Amino acid sequence: MSGRIDRYARQLSPAFVPVAVLIGAATLALSAWWLAADALRGRPSLAAEIGVVRSELWLRDGWSELQTSPEAAEAAFTRALRLSPMDAGAWFGLASATGRFDWLNPTASKALKMSYYTGFNRSDLVTPRLILLAQVDTTRDVELVDLLQRQIRLILTRAPELKGAIGQAYGVASDANRRIIEAEFKDANQSIPE
C-alpha cells in the first residue's frame, strides 16, 4: 500500500503541495473573515463593514440606524438591496427609512411596493408593513390602494389570526385608508377588531 502511495506521490506535479497549501490558507482566511463579521453582530455598522458582501449584515445595520440616523439607515438598506434585490425585508426597511417624513417621496412608495412584490406573504412583515401602508397617502396611487385591499382580504380569508394587525393599522390609518379598510370588512361581513 505504501509503495503505491509513494509511486503516485512521485507522479504529482511539483506545484501540487504549494497549491494545496495556498488553497487551504485562502479557505482559512475566508472562514476567519466570515466568522469575524458574525462575532461583531453586536456592533452592526462594524460587522457590515467587515462582512461587506453579506446583505443580512447591512440589513441589521440599517435597522440599528433607523431611529437615530435615517440617512445612514437608507444607505445601509440600499447596500443590502444591491447585494440581495429580492429581500422583502430590505425593501420594507428602505420604505421605512425614506418615508419617515415625506410619503410623497417616490423612493418610499416604490420601496413599499417592492416589499410587497418580493414577499407579499412574509408573516414577519405583515403587521409592520400593513401599519406603514395604512399611514401612507394612497389617494394618489392606485397600486397602493390595491395592495392595501389585497392584504386585508388575505388576512380576512386566509390568516384570521392576524386580524389584530388590521386593528392596529386601522388605529393609525389616514381617513382614506380607514374607508378602504371599512369597505373590506363590510364586504366580508365582519367587524373591525379594536
Side-chain angles (χ1 to χ4, degrees), residues 10 19 50 61 64-66 68-69 80 82 85 89 97 102 104-105 115 123 134 137 146-147:
R10 283 190 290 266
V19 169
I50 289 173
D61 181 34
S64 73
E65 296 282 356
L66 189 59
T68 57
S69 176
R82 278 192 208 123
D102 179 18
L104 298 176
N105 176 348
S115 176
S123 60
D137 179 15
D146 181 54
L147 288 171

Side-chain angles (χ1 to χ4, degrees), residues 105-118:
N105 176 348
T107 303
S109 64
K110 287 177 186 175
L112 184 57
K113 290 175 195 176
M114 285 303 296
S115 176
Y116 273 102
Y117 296 145
T118 57

Side-chain angles (χ1 to χ4, degrees), residues 105-179:
N105 176 348
T107 303
S109 64
K110 287 177 186 175
L112 184 57
K113 290 175 195 176
M114 285 303 296
S115 176
Y116 273 102
Y117 296 145
T118 57
F120 188 80
N121 292 331
R122 278 212 19 207
S123 60
D124 62 322
L125 294 178
V126 169
T127 300
R129 199 167 44 191
L130 185 59
I131 290 169
L132 186 61
L133 180 58
Q135 296 172 4
V136 174
D137 179 15
T138 59
T139 57
R140 296 184 190 145
D141 195 329
V142 177
E143 226 173 332
L144 289 174
V145 171
D146 181 54
L147 288 171
L148 180 59
Q149 291 171 331
R150 284 178 39 210
Q151 185 72 79
I152 292 169
R153 275 187 229 131
L154 178 76
I155 291 171
L156 293 177
T157 58
R158 296 191 186 142
E161 69 276 5
L162 295 173
K163 277 176 80 173
I166 299 174
Q168 290 175 5
Y170 186 78
V172 297
S174 66
D175 290 337
N177 291 342
R178 281 180 183 234
R179 286 190 293 277

